[in-house]
Structure formats: structure tokens, C-alpha cells
Amino acid sequence: ETIGEAEKSDRIVVLDAGHGGTDSGKVGINGVKEKDINLTITNSVKKILEKENIQVIMTRETDEQLAQSKVEDLKYRVKIMNEVSPVLAVSIHQNSYHEENVFGAHQTSTEGEKAAGIIQDALQKVNPDNTKKIKANNTYYILKKTEVPTVIVECGFLSNYKEAQKLVTEDYQKSVAEAVAEGIL
């Protein structure tokens, strides 16, 4: 008995831990590298989703860059997302901003917008100070090139000292991962 394509992929989620390898992403006020926090949170989200019988495909599972150049690395991530054809792709990031109190979720499609809103609401419970709303963002390569509903989640701001300090703690990382997973589910 074969399962139809649509039925098969509705239990698949692609998780993308942003950056990796020589590309450390943002470096926090406290010296922490974004790539490391991204991977830790993404691995936790994966574990939670798998307990709920969601098949998770990771773009990276170790501290590695997926190609020689930044552009090729992003193309490879997009290729995975498009080929797997998941119900949702979620790219996990931290951010840095000249104003210390900015964070949020970004998306492009209508389905992405719905998913981003749900994830944003879940993150707001973890960090009630997070008043930033979801927004469409077409400057992100991944959002422009994916053919599946995709959300980029900025879990926290490394330019905010208080937040950067929280983001290195296991408890806070776990809370953020639980919120992201809850949103995905």
C-alpha cells in the first residue's frame, strides 16, 4: 500500500541550524558564537519533534559549513528544503541589532506567515519582553529561494547583554527550543 506524496510529507519538517564551520554568524556581547547556540537549540527542537513522530531532516548536525562559500552554503540548504518537500522548514538563528530590544520571526508565504505567527506566540511566552511582530522579509536568500513554507526564527539577540547571557544557559536554550517545537507542532 503506497502513501500519497502529500500524506507522506505532512510529517516531515526540515530544521536548519544557521551558520556553522568557519561561518560563526553573530558573536555575542559575551563572546558566544551564534552557530553554536543555533545548533544546540535546533538539536533540542529535533528531539522534541521526533518524540511526536515528526520526521526531522537537519541541514547540519555538526559544526560545519555546507559548502566553500556563503552563497553555495545557502544554496545547499535551500536545495535540501526543496528536495525534501516538508510541510515546514524552520531556520534557527540569533540576531544582533544596534537597538538592543529587537527580535522576531520572518517568513514569505501565507502558510509561512501562519507558522511564523504561531511560533512567535510560543516564543513570547518564554520571553514576554519580545513585543516584535512577525514580518515578511524578502532580503533573506533562504526565504526567496525555498518552494516550501519556510520560517526564519530569530530566537534572541546577542547584541542584548541580558539576553546573550540567558542564551548561553541550558535552561533558557531548552525553553526556547520547547517554544519553537510547540509552534511547529
Side-chain angles (χ1 to χ4, degrees):
E1 189 183 333
T2 58
I3 301 168
E5 246 352 90
E7 290 174 73
K8 223 169 39 185
S9 66
D10 71 356
R11 301 295 290 174
I12 299 175
V13 170
V14 171
L15 293 180
D16 174 44
H19 308 285
T22 54
D23 173 14
S24 61
K26 306 284 186 298
V27 177
I29 272 178
N30 54 358
V32 67
K33 292 184 175 88
E34 178 187 356
K35 66 176 185 172
D36 299 331
I37 295 176
N38 293 348
L39 190 58
T40 302
I41 291 173
T42 306
N43 278 326
S44 298
V45 173
K46 177 183 192 249
K47 281 186 194 130
I48 297 165
L49 293 180
E50 285 178 341
K51 278 186 194 145
E52 300 294 330
N53 296 316
I54 303 289
Q55 187 186 342
V56 176
I57 307 292
M58 301 271 284
T59 57
R60 73 176 178 103
E61 297 194 61
T62 57
D63 180 17
E64 62 180 327
Q65 201 164 333
L66 304 179
Q68 290 301 300
S69 72
K70 180 82 179 142
V71 173
E72 289 304 314
D73 175 86
L74 288 169
K75 276 185 183 170
Y76 189 73
R77 290 169 198 261
V78 167
K79 184 176 178 246
I80 293 169
M81 292 172 188
N82 288 337
E83 279 178 5
V84 169
S85 192
V87 67
L88 186 64
V90 178
S91 189
I92 307 275
H93 287 263
Q94 311 309 308
N95 215 331
S96 152
Y97 198 70
H98 57 275
E99 287 173 34
E100 277 205 355
N101 57 349
V102 181
F103 26 21
H106 308 275
Q107 48 61 44
T108 47
S109 67
T110 312
E111 290 152 299
E113 183 176 6
K114 209 166 107 183
I118 293 166
I119 293 169
Q120 184 75 17
D121 289 347
L123 280 169
Q124 211 137 21
K125 290 179 198 143
V126 177
N127 189 347
D129 300 335
N130 181 350
T131 52
K132 185 157 183 261
K133 295 294 164 238
I134 60 154
K135 64 179 184 201
N137 190 321
N138 292 318
T139 58
Y140 283 112
Y141 181 90
I142 284 178
L143 292 179
K144 269 193 220 168
K145 302 290 182 183
T146 44
E147 295 149 16
V148 297
T150 305
V151 176
I152 290 183
V153 180
E154 307 280 8
C155 298
F157 270 70
L158 295 173
S159 50
N160 176 315
Y161 187 76
K162 218 168 80 183
E163 205 170 331
Q165 289 298 87
K166 280 199 297 194
L167 280 163
V168 295
T169 69
E170 207 177 309
D171 281 355
Y172 191 70
Q173 288 173 349
K174 202 171 151 233
S175 299
V176 168
E178 282 166 359
V180 172
E182 180 192 319
I184 292 169
L185 289 168

